[in-house]
Amino acid sequence: MGDQITRDGKAYTGRLSHPNRVRLAVSLFYFGQGIAFASWASRIPDIKNVLNLSDAQLGSILLALPLGQLVTMPFSGRLVTRFGSEKVLTAAVPLYGFGLTNLGLAASDWQLFLFLFLFGVVGNMCNISLNTQGVAAEKLFPKPIMTSFHGVWSVAGFTGALLGLLMINLHIQPYIHFWIIALLLWLNVFLNFKYLAGGIDPAAQTRKKFLSKPESMLIQLGVIGFCSMATEGAMFDWSGVYFREIVHAPSSLVVLGYASFMIMMATGRFVGDRLINYFGRRRLMQISGLTISTGMFLSVFLPYLVPATIGFMLVGLGVSSIVPTVYSVAGKNAKVAPGMAIAMVSSVSYLGFLMGPPLIGYISALSNLQYSYAVIGCFGLLMCFMVGRIRAIS
């Protein structure tokens, strides 16, 4: 049970834990989400080869994960608003770990599609509840910290990529690899669930149905999130394939593109709050869009190990602050409860995650993987345009 806390004129169900302990607990949950997703991403080339999938087939199958996330959006927002983000997160993370292990069991394309869909369903519940936790924890501090939470996620992604490389070199099958990660997730829940932020008291929230007319500002934030997540999806799902088939990297360095992307995204997120204070959200996000396009086009026009790696690093730096800023702004909307606001923005944003990876596969089948990445590079330019249209981003 927690004490009633009032901040910014709103009621919160606080806990007796020190704010720094709450921040640590939330950070560890972000770490768990990041390492789990990176573990899957690092083994995509292996699973592609084992199932003998073409680029187009893999692109279609990868559609399942964001599709599962997308169809669960309305329910996740309602669950978080109804029961609290800490309860939903505590229940969803163990299921997420179990869902990860199923991916290692897939013996056919339809099984992989099904398991990815279920992985996306539970992953969305984790995503909405975790980002709502981030907004609640940020309320306990006088300065922005949301970007640093996503920085922890990125560090976990980099760690997961290195762990994936280790597992590949040790010839450990994905199924065993994924079970190791699942056990780590379960241990984290057991040790830290009681320190999660209580969140906003549902009784004090402004109630709004998910399918009612959405706030215009939230839709525009979602479009920016769409551009960023389409780019991230392309990097998560196709970077290993790009380095193997276009860059022709040695097998031991196939994961280098993904790792370089993740480490720069992590670096950008840990300094993101300071950069926001210096440049302002609007200018930083516009610079980020240009950086994304520059990095993507560099890797397309110079598809060699060094320039492609530098290009992927620029893309990671560019996307680093976009999604955390979008969620932070959305979660502070005065008219919509944080869980519902984040779900609304995510519904639009995850269309990018939904469309990006399959789009890569389809364009690759018609031409090649380089042209696919060139199309994704245009999203950075679109992002610059959209940021200038939203007054709430200052």
Side-chain angles (χ1 to χ4, degrees):
M1 299 296 293
D3 299 327
Q4 194 75 3
I5 301 174
T6 301
R7 293 180 183 274
D8 301 326
K10 297 180 181 180
Y12 296 80
T13 53
R15 282 192 169 88
L16 298 179
S17 303
H18 191 278
N20 285 334
R21 185 64 183 87
V22 174
R23 182 177 184 177
L24 175 61
V26 175
S27 295
L28 289 172
F29 274 87
Y30 271 96
F31 187 90
Q33 291 299 109
I35 199 170
F37 189 85
S39 297
W40 150 246
S42 69
R43 304 309 295 263
I44 289 176
D46 289 335
I47 294 175
K48 178 178 183 285
N49 289 337
V50 168
L51 298 182
N52 195 27
L53 301 172
S54 68
D55 285 353
Q57 288 175 319
L58 179 60
S60 297
I61 292 172
L62 293 176
L63 182 73
L65 192 151
L67 182 61
Q69 293 173 323
L70 186 64
V71 299
T72 317
M73 289 290 181
F75 308 103
S76 297
R78 289 174 180 175
L79 286 173
V80 168
T81 302
R82 176 72 173 84
F83 298 104
S85 57
E86 72 279 15
K87 293 180 181 178
V88 175
L89 185 61
T90 300
V93 169
L95 294 176
Y96 190 63
F98 183 71
L100 176 64
T101 65
N102 285 337
L103 298 177
L105 287 176
S108 63
D109 51 359
W110 72 266
Q111 289 180 354
L112 182 59
F113 186 95
L114 175 61
F115 291 152
L116 274 175
F117 179 84
L118 296 176
F119 191 56
V121 167
V122 183
N124 177 253
M125 294 183 184
C126 293
N127 178 59
I128 300 301
S129 56
L130 182 56
N131 281 290
T132 305
Q133 274 290 303
V135 171
E138 190 174 47
K139 294 288 186 178
L140 303 177
F141 292 83
K143 60 181 181 180
I145 62 171
M146 190 68 168
T147 303
S148 67
F149 284 140
H150 286 255
V152 171
W153 188 93
S154 299
V155 168
F158 179 65
T159 304
L162 293 180
L163 183 59
L165 179 60
L166 176 63
M167 295 292 178
I168 292 170
N169 290 331
L170 292 177
H171 305 289
I172 295 177
Q173 296 299 315
Y175 184 63
I176 302 300
H177 175 186
F178 295 160
W179 261 113
I180 293 172
I181 301 301
L183 292 175
L184 290 176
L185 293 182
W186 295 351
L187 178 62
N188 179 54
V189 171
F190 176 76
L191 295 177
N192 291 289
F193 78 94
K194 61 183 177 181
Y195 299 110
L196 290 172
I200 299 177
D201 185 351
Q205 296 179 1
T206 302
R207 298 187 180 274
K208 189 179 184 71
K209 293 182 179 180
F210 183 87
L211 296 179
S212 62
K213 183 178 180 180
E215 296 290 325
S216 175
M217 186 266 285
L218 294 178
I219 295 298
Q220 294 178 69
L221 287 172
V223 172
I224 296 172
F226 174 98
C227 295
S228 180
M229 288 192 173
T231 304
E232 290 184 36
M235 301 302 285
F236 291 149
D237 291 350
W238 286 97
S239 59
V241 179
Y242 191 88
F243 261 60
R244 172 176 289 173
E245 299 182 0
I246 303 299
V247 179
H248 302 296
S251 59
S252 61
L253 295 177
V254 164
V255 75
L256 179 61
Y258 179 81
S260 62
F261 166 78
M262 292 300 297
I263 194 170
M264 288 307 295
M265 187 163 67
T267 301
R269 286 176 172 175
F270 280 117
V271 301
D273 293 324
R274 294 182 181 180
L275 293 177
I276 287 172
N277 289 332
Y278 184 79
F279 290 107
R281 287 186 173 91
R282 185 189 304 275
R283 182 170 296 180
L284 178 61
M285 292 177 76
Q286 289 174 327
I287 293 173
S288 297
L290 293 175
T291 304
I292 290 170
S293 294
T294 301
M296 196 68 80
F297 292 141
L298 177 62
S299 66
V300 167
F301 294 115
L302 294 173
Y304 309 107
L305 187 62
V306 173
T309 301
I310 294 174
F312 277 36
M313 292 172 70
L314 289 175
V315 175
L317 186 62
V319 301
S320 62
S321 298
I322 300 296
V323 171
T325 302
V326 164
Y327 284 161
S328 182
V329 174
K332 295 174 183 176
N333 188 286
K335 298 180 181 180
V336 184
M340 295 297 291
I342 291 174
M344 289 179 186
V345 171
S346 294
S347 296
V348 180
S349 299
Y350 268 92
L351 287 174
F353 223 46
L354 181 71
M355 296 173 60
L359 181 64
I360 290 287
Y362 296 141
I363 296 176
S364 177
L366 294 174
S367 55
N368 61 50
L369 204 52
Q370 284 177 274
Y371 291 117
S372 301
Y373 265 47
V375 172
I376 297 297
C378 295
F379 285 131
L381 302 177
L382 178 59
M383 195 181 306
C384 292
F385 171 74
M386 289 302 303
V387 168
R389 295 173 56 89
I390 303 178
R391 296 181 180 179
I393 302 177
S394 57

